[in-house]
Amino acid sequence: MTSATATPLDRTTDTPHAPDTAPLNWRHSFAELGPAFYTELQPAPLPAPYWVGRSQAMARELGLGEAWMESADALAMLTGNQLAPGSRPLASVYSGHQFGVWAGQLGDGRAILLGELQTPQGPQEIQLKGAGRTPYSRMGDGRAVLRSSIREFLCSEAMHGLGIPSTRALCITGSDAAVRREEIETAAVVTRVAPSFIRFGHFEHFSYSEQPVQLKALADHVIDRFYPACREASQPYAALLQAVSERTAHLMAAWQAVGFCHGVMNTDNMSILGLTIDYGPFQFLDAFDPGHVCNHSDAEGRYAYNRQPNMGYWNLFCLGQALLPLMDSQEQALAALESYKTVFPAALAARMRAKLGLPEEQPQDLALVENTFKLLAANRVDYTIFWRHLCSFTPQSGHEAVRDLFFDRESFNAWALQYSERLTHVDSGLRADLMLKNNPRFVLRNHLGEEAIRAAKLKDFSGVNTLLSVLQTPFDEHEAHERLAGFPPDWASSIEISCSS
Ligand code: AMP
Ligand code: MG
């Protein structure tokens, strides 16, 4: 399987390379944790792969030249058909709480880690999602379908464009190989990129299965690589829990502010780095509905939009429980979790102030934010369009462009008065600038993804590529793509996204 030709993913080669195909070094920090953490295995090849989409921005960050990203070697390696020289493929084991219930052992059922590449931003792990069965596949086939792979690829890069912490995506490759879900679909592989794919569930795994040595090794690995300041604390593991709580609080605030619903916030889908991870039935809100449930399989609405911050805390509590063997007392863990309760509201308030164009905090801001949410909910206003239109709100004018989004004009007028008063001493240039950087014009709405998916199933990948380029800079105007900033069509509300991927 190993390629005989020199490639940029080859650290052993002596062949001289053009600057854009310089060789890169693989490292294997996760593998160094030892065999209790994973199973080494080879990806399973897919027949006749083809490119579906590539993020040149991600490629550049990894130091992968454009020419290499178009090569047959790259296509084969990133589909799992050819071993990247120097890589060391493995699937990791983890456990987790799914929909509030302990689910026992899970693991990378269809994700294969190749190792990590050094980049100016630090080491980045490279993972192939959908590259075949692993010992943790349970009843699954180890594959991912084109539909869900496009959603994950686009949303990873869209989140990055929005400035929201997320795992990234380098590319998608597709194959005509059939994959059975509710219907027959085709296979795809997404190459995911992140400093680490370690989840809360990794800690739960070694804690519940009573492997204290491994639990400590995992915590030390995470502290030394990603939270070095915790090492200086009197209780490094409590400090770790607190640091993760704070990153998670910031992530939840970012999701709420942009109107993102994750859909499956199980502890195995929670990143120890506070990244958005495992894109499944996610959705950006169209009309603002606080109780919106995007996952069709979530009958009880456990992961409804307005429950996400509480679910984030619930998951951190599970992480705290898993870390207890490394702490002196339960009180220590509880104290470490406390910060979530102050960091989350403060982070959300800061984000909402920025969306409203208020550079400085004032006591009445909380009430204004609450009234805004209430007004949007009562009128089921399109969340993204409201905020973008609000960027051109001027207290003096009639602000029709915003008012027209509301059927209850009286309530809007009352709100507009409150907002106008708050803006009295705010510089309008400063405000507009702040708002245009915090209210995206473009988000990956379900129907936009769906249109790109339908075309891609017919081998037209232009929709995927257009969306990618627009969503990577979602605060820009992109005049030529006005349509992508419009209201969702009627059929958008009938799209049903479930866990099936
Ligand atoms: P998710 O809720 O999508 O994060 O998946 C939960 C678990 O099921 C994870 O351990 C996945 O690796 C695994 N899984 C999901 N789909 C498949 C599949 N098609 N084949 C193998 N494992 C899967
Ligand atoms: Mg998962």
Side-chain angles (χ1 to χ4, degrees):
M1 278 226 304
T2 307
S3 164
T5 50
T7 79
L9 297 185
D10 183 354
R11 73 170 162 174
T12 54
T13 179
D14 296 325
T15 316
H17 294 270
D20 80 329
T21 56
L24 292 167
N25 289 330
W26 286 104
R27 294 211 190 140
H28 302 286
S29 313
F30 186 83
E32 283 160 18
L33 281 168
F37 290 82
Y38 54 83
T39 302
E40 298 203 49
L41 78 183
Q42 299 300 314
L46 278 169
Y50 42 83
W51 294 109
V52 174
R54 278 164 284 195
S55 167
Q56 294 300 348
M58 184 75 259
R60 269 194 301 278
E61 286 182 42
L62 292 172
L64 303 172
E66 253 175 68
W68 186 76
M69 279 303 290
E70 286 172 12
S71 69
D73 271 352
L75 179 62
M77 286 178 197
L78 299 174
T79 307
N81 290 7
Q82 185 177 303
L83 187 64
S87 67
R88 191 174 158 188
L90 62 84
S92 79
V93 62
Y94 53 80
S95 295
H97 282 85
Q98 297 187 316
F99 290 92
V101 179
W102 176 243
Q105 185 194 298
L106 305 163
D108 295 324
R110 52 176 170 170
I112 296 181
L113 180 68
L114 297 182
E116 76 208 44
L117 296 175
Q118 307 311 307
T119 80
Q121 287 77 37
Q124 297 285 338
E125 290 186 341
I126 310 290
Q127 199 186 58
L128 305 181
K129 182 170 176 179
R133 285 184 57 84
T134 79
Y136 317 110
S137 299
R138 297 178 292 162
M139 307 299 284
D141 56 10
R143 293 299 180 193
V145 295
L146 180 65
R147 160 179 59 85
S148 63
S149 303
I150 289 175
R151 283 170 54 83
E152 170 140 27
F153 172 71
L154 288 178
C155 204
S156 304
E157 293 305 274
M159 286 301 233
H160 182 70
L162 289 164
I164 299 176
S166 175
T167 61
R168 301 281 305 275
L170 174 63
C171 59
I172 315 182
T173 65
S175 162
D176 289 346
V179 176
R180 184 182 294 276
R181 294 292 180 263
E182 279 85 4
E183 49 194 53
I184 302 290
E185 303 187 48
T186 61
V189 175
V190 181
T191 300
R192 304 201 289 192
V193 181
S196 169
F197 289 94
I198 295 175
R199 301 137 192 276
F200 291 9
H202 279 95
F203 289 87
E204 290 181 288
H205 180 75
F206 293 102
S207 191
Y208 281 69
S209 60
E210 297 183 23
Q211 300 183 67
V213 175
Q214 283 75 15
L215 179 65
K216 182 172 178 303
L218 183 65
D220 287 337
H221 169 86
V222 169
I223 289 174
D224 292 342
R225 290 176 67 77
F226 306 111
Y227 294 95
C230 297
R231 185 59 71 203
E232 313 305 320
S234 57
Q235 295 295 338
Y237 306 110
L240 173 63
L241 180 59
Q242 177 168 339
V244 177
S245 298
E246 291 174 9
R247 281 213 202 168
T248 306
H250 280 285
L251 182 67
M252 293 304 114
W255 286 2
Q256 298 308 108
V258 81
F260 175 79
C261 308
H262 181 282
V264 202
M265 289 176 64
N266 295 334
T267 56
D268 55 303
N269 291 338
M270 295 293 291
S271 152
I272 202 69
L273 301 185
L275 308 172
T276 313
I277 191 170
D278 280 11
Y279 292 89
F282 70 84
Q283 186 181 6
F284 286 86
L285 294 177
D286 290 321
F288 186 67
D289 170 10
H292 185 70
V293 181
C294 63
N295 180 357
H296 219 69
S297 317
D298 181 8
E300 286 170 17
R302 178 179 173 86
Y303 299 129
Y305 166 74
N306 58 3
R307 298 192 69 191
Q308 296 187 125
N310 281 346
M311 290 297 118
Y313 183 78
W314 195 95
N315 290 336
L316 285 162
F317 195 90
C318 291
L319 177 65
Q321 219 146 16
L323 289 170
L324 276 183
L326 302 178
M327 291 191 219
D328 303 330
S329 68
Q330 199 162 1
E331 284 65 41
Q332 224 169 51
L334 288 171
L337 291 169
E338 272 307 290
S339 58
Y340 187 86
K341 297 177 189 166
T342 48
V343 173
F344 169 72
L348 182 62
R351 285 192 177 260
M352 297 316 294
R353 269 201 311 278
K355 288 176 83 68
L356 286 161
L358 308 174
E360 276 155 38
E361 186 176 354
Q362 291 210 357
Q364 70 269 38
D365 293 346
L366 265 188
L368 177 63
V369 168
E370 251 171 51
N371 284 345
T372 311
F373 279 132
K374 272 191 206 146
L375 183 75
L376 292 176
N379 286 265
R380 288 286 194 268
V381 175
D382 187 277
Y383 191 70
T384 305
I385 291 180
F386 165 76
W387 287 107
R388 191 69 182 189
H389 276 31
L390 197 65
C391 300
S392 42
F393 180 98
T394 44
Q396 300 80 24
S397 78
H399 28 76
E400 282 80 8
V402 191
R403 195 201 333 255
D404 285 350
L405 300 171
F406 295 80
F407 56 79
D408 178 359
R409 304 289 159 97
E410 294 287 301
S411 301
F412 173 79
N413 288 342
W415 177 87
L417 195 66
Q418 185 189 10
Y419 184 41
S420 297
E421 276 169 13
R422 176 61 181 87
L423 294 180
T424 314
H425 300 292
V426 178
D427 177 85
S428 59
L430 209 63
R431 170 168 59 95
D433 190 49
L434 187 61
M435 291 178 84
L436 288 168
K437 286 186 188 134
N438 285 279
N439 295 306
R441 186 156 193 245
F442 302 94
V443 292
L444 180 56
R445 295 178 190 262
N446 262 352
H447 77 277
L448 297 176
E450 190 62 28
E451 284 171 356
I453 289 164
R454 285 180 193 173
K457 284 182 175 171
L458 303 171
K459 299 260 164 62
D460 171 4
F461 306 125
S462 59
V464 173
N465 289 306
T466 303
L467 275 179
L468 176 67
S469 72
V470 169
L471 294 170
Q472 281 178 328
T473 50
F475 299 99
D476 292 354
E477 283 297 311
H478 296 282
E479 277 94 356
H481 299 293
E482 168 105 45
R483 196 186 69 80
L484 304 179
F487 287 98
D490 288 341
W491 60 267
S493 57
S494 63
I495 300 172
E496 291 181 0
I497 312 269
S498 69
C499 279
S500 152
S501 61

